Amino acid sequence: MAQIIDGKALAAEIRANIKTEAAALPRKPGLAVILAGEDPASQLYVKNKVKDCAECGFFSRRIDLPVDVSEEELLGILNKLNADSRIDGVLVQLPLPEHMEEKRIIEAISPEKDVDAFHPLNVGRMVRGDSPVWPCTPAGIMEMLKAYRIAVDGKICVMVGRSNIVGKPMGLRLLRDHGTVVYCHRHTPDLAVLTRQADILVVAAGCKGLIHGSMVKEGAVVIDVAMNRDPETGKFSGDVVFDEVEPKVSYITPVPGGVGPMTRAMLMKNTLTLAKLHMGLACEH
Ligand code: ADP
């Protein structure tokens, strides 16, 4: 029987600590969130981000733009936010409308306000191992491992998925913390051979039911990042077949209530970190 990693409870604890820390700063940390278009899921995410800012005592600015906003207009807004001293973090909600070049927009955010750590300069810092902030999902997973005293040093870590937002930075972070990292993806010939080696298995493929009980090692730590929404019931489930895997492993994250709430909390933590850096206060990386 595994210990279930309670991301929801941990995220609430982290938010409370962030609030206390923010209240002691000379000014409020500030986050700007930009949404172009009216995608309902994106609208909900943005609403929650603004709500989390209020809960943590942060200053926030929400900027809603029409779906046909020009790239030049958005770049102009980003320039202003880059120069705004109340704003520590700038987040552009993805996906962007199709006519926009995502790379160009991400690169227009000042690397020092790049709260998601998507800017290539910060990606380079991640490769080097010293980025001040890491993308929210990998950052949240590291907080979970820390809270449950799960060491990475010396462990075989298998990362299923290699997206720029989750898989790649997650693997880099595990590597930085002295894990031995294997990346698996769509072109991996025999996934099970590799997942069975994992002491720590992180799954972010967006493929419901991908990881069966036979694919994990006894006593492994299993982190399920996916949020697969059933179109009929609207319920969310992960990539891991929980009922098969849970009896075999030592720790497992549930979906929902695992990685999701932690990802959300880490946006606040990253904003706080950038705010402290902008105020000249020391931060641990
Ligand atoms: P996210 O942003 O949540 O990481 P993406 O859809 O961008 O999700 O990326 C999914 C990743 O999962 C890709 O790297 C892809 O290669 C990997 N993947 C998808 N299906 C499988 C599979 N069946 N086996 C192994 N890897 C997979």
Side-chain angles (χ1 to χ4, degrees):
M1 266 258 295
Q3 182 161 355
I4 312 289
I5 298 180
D6 189 345
K8 202 173 163 195
L10 187 57
E13 212 178 285
I14 288 172
R15 268 201 305 276
N17 290 340
I18 291 172
K19 185 179 178 180
T20 309
E21 233 188 291
L25 294 176
R27 66 163 172 81
K28 287 181 178 191
L31 178 69
V33 186
I34 303 171
L35 173 60
E38 287 175 5
D39 174 65
S42 293
Q43 277 181 330
L44 179 64
Y45 295 144
V46 166
K47 189 174 143 209
N48 286 337
K49 285 166 185 171
V50 170
K51 193 171 131 212
D52 288 348
C53 281
E55 198 194 311
C56 292
F58 291 4
F59 170 69
S60 70
R61 263 198 79 188
R62 173 179 173 157
I63 299 167
D64 284 279
L65 302 169
V67 70
D68 59 356
V69 62
S70 73
E71 218 168 78
E72 298 314 316
E73 196 174 331
L74 177 51
L75 291 172
I77 290 168
L78 290 174
N79 275 337
K80 284 200 188 114
L81 293 170
N82 286 342
D84 186 337
S85 59
R86 293 169 305 174
I87 299 295
D88 298 291
V90 177
L91 182 150
V92 178
Q93 185 66 44
L94 301 177
L96 282 164
E98 270 175 25
H99 65 279
M100 288 203 194
E101 199 191 335
E102 196 178 285
K103 272 199 251 179
R104 195 170 169 223
I105 302 300
I106 287 173
E107 287 176 26
I109 297 171
S110 157
E112 313 318 320
K113 296 194 177 186
D114 173 33
V115 71
D116 274 324
F118 293 164
H119 190 286
L121 188 81
N122 288 321
V123 177
R125 288 172 172 156
M126 283 190 267
V127 173
R128 214 166 54 178
D130 60 2
S131 180
V133 295
W134 291 68
C136 296
T137 300
I141 293 170
M142 295 315 291
E143 287 284 338
M144 290 201 285
L145 296 179
K146 194 167 114 192
Y148 284 79
R149 299 183 198 287
I150 299 165
V152 174
D153 194 340
K155 302 282 175 63
I156 297 189
C157 306
V158 176
M159 178 67 237
V160 181
R162 56 167 172 179
S163 71
N164 288 331
I165 299 175
V166 180
K168 271 186 210 161
M170 185 71 228
L172 288 171
R173 182 58 187 262
L174 292 165
L175 180 65
R176 188 200 81 165
D177 292 352
H178 314 300
T180 299
V181 179
V182 178
Y183 282 99
C184 301
H185 46 78
R186 258 184 244 278
H187 297 253
T188 300
D190 192 342
L191 189 61
V193 166
L194 296 164
T195 57
R196 268 191 225 116
Q197 310 264 331
D199 300 311
I200 298 176
L201 177 64
V202 183
V203 191
C207 192
K208 187 180 170 186
L210 181 65
I211 306 295
H212 286 270
S214 61
M215 295 168 74
V216 299
K217 185 164 86 171
E218 291 277 348
V221 174
V222 177
I223 309 288
D224 191 348
V225 178
M227 291 284 275
N228 304 305
R229 188 174 178 275
D230 187 312
E232 275 163 30
T233 62
K235 283 197 174 162
F236 288 98
S237 56
D239 289 348
V240 174
V241 183
F242 189 90
D243 294 344
E244 288 183 18
V245 172
E246 186 270 333
K248 278 187 82 176
V249 300
S250 58
Y251 293 90
I252 189 166
T253 59
V255 178
V259 176
M262 291 300 292
T263 297
R264 200 169 147 182
M266 285 306 110
L267 178 63
M268 299 299 110
K269 179 114 191 246
N270 282 356
T271 306
L272 177 69
T273 301
L274 294 180
K276 282 161 76 178
L277 287 172
H278 296 148
M279 293 176 208
L281 302 167
C283 291
E284 52 171 305
H285 288 181

PDB file of all heavy atoms in Angstrom, residues 8 14 25 31 43 48 57 59 66 69 71 90 110 117 131 136 142 144 155 167 180 191 222 228 271:
ATOM      1  N   LYS A   8      -3.087  18.637  -2.576  1.00  0.00           N
ATOM      2  CA  LYS A   8      -4.035  19.699  -2.228  1.00  0.00           C
ATOM      3  C   LYS A   8      -3.694  20.304  -0.867  1.00  0.00           C
ATOM      4  O   LYS A   8      -3.620  21.528  -0.714  1.00  0.00           O
ATOM      5  CB  LYS A   8      -5.441  19.087  -2.215  1.00  0.00           C
ATOM      6  CG  LYS A   8      -6.528  20.100  -2.386  1.00  0.00           C
ATOM      7  CD  LYS A   8      -7.865  19.430  -2.533  1.00  0.00           C
ATOM      8  CE  LYS A   8      -8.953  20.461  -2.283  1.00  0.00           C
ATOM      9  NZ  LYS A   8     -10.250  19.836  -2.053  1.00  0.00           N
ATOM     10  N   ILE A  14       1.566  25.649   1.539  1.00  0.00           N
ATOM     11  CA  ILE A  14       2.547  26.495   0.843  1.00  0.00           C
ATOM     12  C   ILE A  14       1.962  27.891   0.594  1.00  0.00           C
ATOM     13  O   ILE A  14       2.626  28.903   0.823  1.00  0.00           O
ATOM     14  CB  ILE A  14       3.007  25.824  -0.480  1.00  0.00           C
ATOM     15  CG1 ILE A  14       3.900  24.622  -0.145  1.00  0.00           C
ATOM     16  CG2 ILE A  14       3.732  26.797  -1.391  1.00  0.00           C
ATOM     17  CD1 ILE A  14       4.277  23.748  -1.315  1.00  0.00           C
ATOM     18  N   LEU A  25       7.202  41.760   3.177  1.00  0.00           N
ATOM     19  CA  LEU A  25       8.049  42.432   2.182  1.00  0.00           C
ATOM     20  C   LEU A  25       7.745  43.936   2.135  1.00  0.00           C
ATOM     21  O   LEU A  25       6.638  44.360   2.497  1.00  0.00           O
ATOM     22  CB  LEU A  25       7.808  41.814   0.794  1.00  0.00           C
ATOM     23  CG  LEU A  25       8.237  40.357   0.615  1.00  0.00           C
ATOM     24  CD1 LEU A  25       7.839  39.854  -0.766  1.00  0.00           C
ATOM     25  CD2 LEU A  25       9.747  40.198   0.826  1.00  0.00           C
ATOM     26  N   LEU A  31       1.829  40.217 -10.109  1.00  0.00           N
ATOM     27  CA  LEU A  31       1.777  39.293 -11.256  1.00  0.00           C
ATOM     28  C   LEU A  31       0.815  39.849 -12.309  1.00  0.00           C
ATOM     29  O   LEU A  31      -0.307  40.252 -11.971  1.00  0.00           O
ATOM     30  CB  LEU A  31       1.281  37.914 -10.792  1.00  0.00           C
ATOM     31  CG  LEU A  31       1.119  36.855 -11.889  1.00  0.00           C
ATOM     32  CD1 LEU A  31       2.470  36.419 -12.455  1.00  0.00           C
ATOM     33  CD2 LEU A  31       0.369  35.634 -11.360  1.00  0.00           C
ATOM     34  N   GLN A  43      -9.841  30.783 -19.668  1.00  0.00           N
ATOM     35  CA  GLN A  43     -10.506  31.797 -18.829  1.00  0.00           C
ATOM     36  C   GLN A  43     -10.555  31.357 -17.367  1.00  0.00           C
ATOM     37  O   GLN A  43     -10.306  32.144 -16.459  1.00  0.00           O
ATOM     38  CB  GLN A  43     -11.919  32.067 -19.341  1.00  0.00           C
ATOM     39  CG  GLN A  43     -11.919  33.056 -20.491  1.00  0.00           C
ATOM     40  CD  GLN A  43     -13.318  33.362 -20.990  1.00  0.00           C
ATOM     41  OE1 GLN A  43     -14.218  32.514 -20.910  1.00  0.00           O
ATOM     42  NE2 GLN A  43     -13.515  34.542 -21.531  1.00  0.00           N
ATOM     43  N   ASN A  48      -8.501  31.711 -11.819  1.00  0.00           N
ATOM     44  CA  ASN A  48      -7.912  31.093 -10.628  1.00  0.00           C
ATOM     45  C   ASN A  48      -6.579  31.726 -10.256  1.00  0.00           C
ATOM     46  O   ASN A  48      -6.263  31.877  -9.076  1.00  0.00           O
ATOM     47  CB  ASN A  48      -7.731  29.589 -10.844  1.00  0.00           C
ATOM     48  CG  ASN A  48      -9.059  28.857 -10.777  1.00  0.00           C
ATOM     49  OD1 ASN A  48     -10.015  29.346 -10.179  1.00  0.00           O
ATOM     50  ND2 ASN A  48      -9.127  27.695 -11.394  1.00  0.00           N
ATOM     51  N   GLY A  57      -2.131  37.758  -1.035  1.00  0.00           N
ATOM     52  CA  GLY A  57      -1.823  39.160  -0.745  1.00  0.00           C
ATOM     53  C   GLY A  57      -0.948  39.806  -1.798  1.00  0.00           C
ATOM     54  O   GLY A  57      -0.190  40.737  -1.513  1.00  0.00           O
ATOM     55  N   PHE A  59      -0.321  41.806  -5.584  1.00  0.00           N
ATOM     56  CA  PHE A  59      -0.930  42.704  -6.551  1.00  0.00           C
ATOM     57  C   PHE A  59      -1.068  41.923  -7.859  1.00  0.00           C
ATOM     58  O   PHE A  59      -0.157  41.186  -8.236  1.00  0.00           O
ATOM     59  CB  PHE A  59      -0.013  43.919  -6.745  1.00  0.00           C
ATOM     60  CG  PHE A  59      -0.392  44.816  -7.881  1.00  0.00           C
ATOM     61  CD1 PHE A  59      -1.552  45.584  -7.824  1.00  0.00           C
ATOM     62  CD2 PHE A  59       0.405  44.895  -9.021  1.00  0.00           C
ATOM     63  CE1 PHE A  59      -1.906  46.408  -8.883  1.00  0.00           C
ATOM     64  CE2 PHE A  59       0.052  45.716 -10.083  1.00  0.00           C
ATOM     65  CZ  PHE A  59      -1.108  46.479 -10.009  1.00  0.00           C
ATOM     66  N   PRO A  66      -8.809  40.685 -27.251  1.00  0.00           N
ATOM     67  CA  PRO A  66      -9.638  39.925 -28.198  1.00  0.00           C
ATOM     68  C   PRO A  66      -8.810  38.891 -28.946  1.00  0.00           C
ATOM     69  O   PRO A  66      -7.584  39.026 -29.047  1.00  0.00           O
ATOM     70  CB  PRO A  66     -10.151  41.012 -29.161  1.00  0.00           C
ATOM     71  CG  PRO A  66      -9.226  42.166 -28.998  1.00  0.00           C
ATOM     72  CD  PRO A  66      -8.653  42.091 -27.611  1.00  0.00           C
ATOM     73  N   VAL A  69      -6.372  40.069 -31.594  1.00  0.00           N
ATOM     74  CA  VAL A  69      -5.374  41.090 -31.235  1.00  0.00           C
ATOM     75  C   VAL A  69      -4.099  40.844 -32.051  1.00  0.00           C
ATOM     76  O   VAL A  69      -3.716  39.691 -32.286  1.00  0.00           O
ATOM     77  CB  VAL A  69      -5.084  41.062 -29.700  1.00  0.00           C
ATOM     78  CG1 VAL A  69      -4.507  39.733 -29.262  1.00  0.00           C
ATOM     79  CG2 VAL A  69      -4.151  42.187 -29.281  1.00  0.00           C
ATOM     80  N   GLU A  71      -0.100  40.756 -33.005  1.00  0.00           N
ATOM     81  CA  GLU A  71       1.126  40.415 -32.299  1.00  0.00           C
ATOM     82  C   GLU A  71       1.822  41.693 -31.812  1.00  0.00           C
ATOM     83  O   GLU A  71       2.316  41.757 -30.692  1.00  0.00           O
ATOM     84  CB  GLU A  71       2.043  39.641 -33.262  1.00  0.00           C
ATOM     85  CG  GLU A  71       2.797  38.538 -32.586  1.00  0.00           C
ATOM     86  CD  GLU A  71       3.476  37.607 -33.571  1.00  0.00           C
ATOM     87  OE1 GLU A  71       4.539  37.965 -34.105  1.00  0.00           O
ATOM     88  OE2 GLU A  71       2.937  36.523 -33.796  1.00  0.00           O
ATOM     89  N   VAL A  90       5.358  38.116 -15.328  1.00  0.00           N
ATOM     90  CA  VAL A  90       4.457  38.303 -16.472  1.00  0.00           C
ATOM     91  C   VAL A  90       4.144  36.931 -17.054  1.00  0.00           C
ATOM     92  O   VAL A  90       5.062  36.164 -17.371  1.00  0.00           O
ATOM     93  CB  VAL A  90       5.110  39.196 -17.559  1.00  0.00           C
ATOM     94  CG1 VAL A  90       4.196  39.307 -18.772  1.00  0.00           C
ATOM     95  CG2 VAL A  90       5.442  40.574 -16.994  1.00  0.00           C
ATOM     96  N   SER A 110      10.494  39.884 -20.311  1.00  0.00           N
ATOM     97  CA  SER A 110      11.820  40.051 -19.715  1.00  0.00           C
ATOM     98  C   SER A 110      12.209  38.766 -18.978  1.00  0.00           C
ATOM     99  O   SER A 110      11.413  38.248 -18.185  1.00  0.00           O
ATOM    100  CB  SER A 110      11.783  41.219 -18.726  1.00  0.00           C
ATOM    101  OG  SER A 110      12.823  41.065 -17.799  1.00  0.00           O
ATOM    102  N   ALA A 117       9.335  30.501 -16.456  1.00  0.00           N
ATOM    103  CA  ALA A 117      10.651  30.012 -16.907  1.00  0.00           C
ATOM    104  C   ALA A 117      10.590  29.361 -18.283  1.00  0.00           C
ATOM    105  O   ALA A 117      11.134  28.293 -18.513  1.00  0.00           O
ATOM    106  CB  ALA A 117      11.284  29.071 -15.878  1.00  0.00           C
ATOM    107  N   SER A 131      18.692  28.284 -12.631  1.00  0.00           N
ATOM    108  CA  SER A 131      17.597  29.214 -12.918  1.00  0.00           C
ATOM    109  C   SER A 131      16.942  29.633 -11.594  1.00  0.00           C
ATOM    110  O   SER A 131      16.737  28.791 -10.719  1.00  0.00           O
ATOM    111  CB  SER A 131      16.566  28.522 -13.818  1.00  0.00           C
ATOM    112  OG  SER A 131      15.515  29.396 -14.103  1.00  0.00           O
ATOM    113  N   CYS A 136       6.243  25.715 -13.390  1.00  0.00           N
ATOM    114  CA  CYS A 136       5.439  25.437 -12.183  1.00  0.00           C
ATOM    115  C   CYS A 136       5.233  23.946 -11.902  1.00  0.00           C
ATOM    116  O   CYS A 136       5.249  23.541 -10.735  1.00  0.00           O
ATOM    117  CB  CYS A 136       4.099  26.147 -12.301  1.00  0.00           C
ATOM    118  SG  CYS A 136       4.318  27.943 -12.324  1.00  0.00           S
ATOM    119  N   MET A 142       8.933  18.898  -7.271  1.00  0.00           N
ATOM    120  CA  MET A 142      10.100  18.923  -6.374  1.00  0.00           C
ATOM    121  C   MET A 142       9.678  19.260  -4.946  1.00  0.00           C
ATOM    122  O   MET A 142      10.203  18.699  -3.982  1.00  0.00           O
ATOM    123  CB  MET A 142      11.157  19.923  -6.867  1.00  0.00           C
ATOM    124  CG  MET A 142      11.802  19.577  -8.190  1.00  0.00           C
ATOM    125  SD  MET A 142      12.319  17.861  -8.433  1.00  0.00           S
ATOM    126  CE  MET A 142      13.672  17.730  -7.285  1.00  0.00           C
ATOM    127  N   MET A 144       6.849  18.509  -3.605  1.00  0.00           N
ATOM    128  CA  MET A 144       6.195  17.317  -3.052  1.00  0.00           C
ATOM    129  C   MET A 144       7.237  16.313  -2.578  1.00  0.00           C
ATOM    130  O   MET A 144       7.117  15.744  -1.497  1.00  0.00           O
ATOM    131  CB  MET A 144       5.281  16.658  -4.097  1.00  0.00           C
ATOM    132  CG  MET A 144       4.065  17.465  -4.410  1.00  0.00           C
ATOM    133  SD  MET A 144       2.713  16.500  -5.132  1.00  0.00           S
ATOM    134  CE  MET A 144       3.325  16.266  -6.745  1.00  0.00           C
ATOM    135  N   LYS A 155      19.068   8.136  -7.268  1.00  0.00           N
ATOM    136  CA  LYS A 155      17.905   7.367  -7.739  1.00  0.00           C
ATOM    137  C   LYS A 155      17.845   7.313  -9.269  1.00  0.00           C
ATOM    138  O   LYS A 155      18.314   8.226  -9.950  1.00  0.00           O
ATOM    139  CB  LYS A 155      16.604   8.023  -7.247  1.00  0.00           C
ATOM    140  CG  LYS A 155      16.490   8.157  -5.744  1.00  0.00           C
ATOM    141  CD  LYS A 155      16.119   6.838  -5.094  1.00  0.00           C
ATOM    142  CE  LYS A 155      16.109   6.921  -3.579  1.00  0.00           C
ATOM    143  NZ  LYS A 155      15.125   7.847  -3.043  1.00  0.00           N
ATOM    144  N   GLY A 167       8.016  17.828 -19.199  1.00  0.00           N
ATOM    145  CA  GLY A 167       8.992  16.732 -19.237  1.00  0.00           C
ATOM    146  C   GLY A 167      10.440  17.192 -19.237  1.00  0.00           C
ATOM    147  O   GLY A 167      11.233  16.764 -18.389  1.00  0.00           O
ATOM    148  N   THR A 180      19.646   9.960 -11.738  1.00  0.00           N
ATOM    149  CA  THR A 180      20.092   9.421 -13.030  1.00  0.00           C
ATOM    150  C   THR A 180      18.840   9.376 -13.902  1.00  0.00           C
ATOM    151  O   THR A 180      17.889   8.659 -13.581  1.00  0.00           O
ATOM    152  CB  THR A 180      20.676   8.007 -12.836  1.00  0.00           C
ATOM    153  OG1 THR A 180      21.801   8.139 -11.960  1.00  0.00           O
ATOM    154  CG2 THR A 180      21.099   7.379 -14.145  1.00  0.00           C
ATOM    155  N   LEU A 191       8.545   1.000 -23.614  1.00  0.00           N
ATOM    156  CA  LEU A 191       8.383   1.866 -22.444  1.00  0.00           C
ATOM    157  C   LEU A 191       8.520   1.090 -21.131  1.00  0.00           C
ATOM    158  O   LEU A 191       9.214   1.517 -20.212  1.00  0.00           O
ATOM    159  CB  LEU A 191       7.004   2.535 -22.542  1.00  0.00           C
ATOM    160  CG  LEU A 191       6.672   3.649 -21.570  1.00  0.00           C
ATOM    161  CD1 LEU A 191       7.633   4.803 -21.736  1.00  0.00           C
ATOM    162  CD2 LEU A 191       5.228   4.116 -21.799  1.00  0.00           C
ATOM    163  N   VAL A 222       5.688   7.190  -7.635  1.00  0.00           N
ATOM    164  CA  VAL A 222       5.031   7.449  -8.921  1.00  0.00           C
ATOM    165  C   VAL A 222       4.299   8.797  -8.885  1.00  0.00           C
ATOM    166  O   VAL A 222       3.435   9.030  -8.035  1.00  0.00           O
ATOM    167  CB  VAL A 222       4.045   6.308  -9.279  1.00  0.00           C
ATOM    168  CG1 VAL A 222       3.306   6.613 -10.578  1.00  0.00           C
ATOM    169  CG2 VAL A 222       4.796   4.984  -9.404  1.00  0.00           C
ATOM    170  N   ASN A 228      -6.359  13.998 -17.697  1.00  0.00           N
ATOM    171  CA  ASN A 228      -7.137  13.605 -18.874  1.00  0.00           C
ATOM    172  C   ASN A 228      -8.620  13.739 -18.551  1.00  0.00           C
ATOM    173  O   ASN A 228      -9.115  13.092 -17.626  1.00  0.00           O
ATOM    174  CB  ASN A 228      -6.800  12.153 -19.254  1.00  0.00           C
ATOM    175  CG  ASN A 228      -5.311  11.958 -19.489  1.00  0.00           C
ATOM    176  OD1 ASN A 228      -4.709  12.646 -20.297  1.00  0.00           O
ATOM    177  ND2 ASN A 228      -4.699  11.033 -18.752  1.00  0.00           N
ATOM    178  N   THR A 271       6.346  33.840  -8.318  1.00  0.00           N
ATOM    179  CA  THR A 271       6.132  35.300  -8.293  1.00  0.00           C
ATOM    180  C   THR A 271       6.824  35.892  -7.067  1.00  0.00           C
ATOM    181  O   THR A 271       7.494  36.930  -7.152  1.00  0.00           O
ATOM    182  CB  THR A 271       4.617  35.625  -8.270  1.00  0.00           C
ATOM    183  OG1 THR A 271       3.988  34.972  -9.373  1.00  0.00           O
ATOM    184  CG2 THR A 271       4.362  37.122  -8.358  1.00  0.00           C
TER     185      THR A 271
END
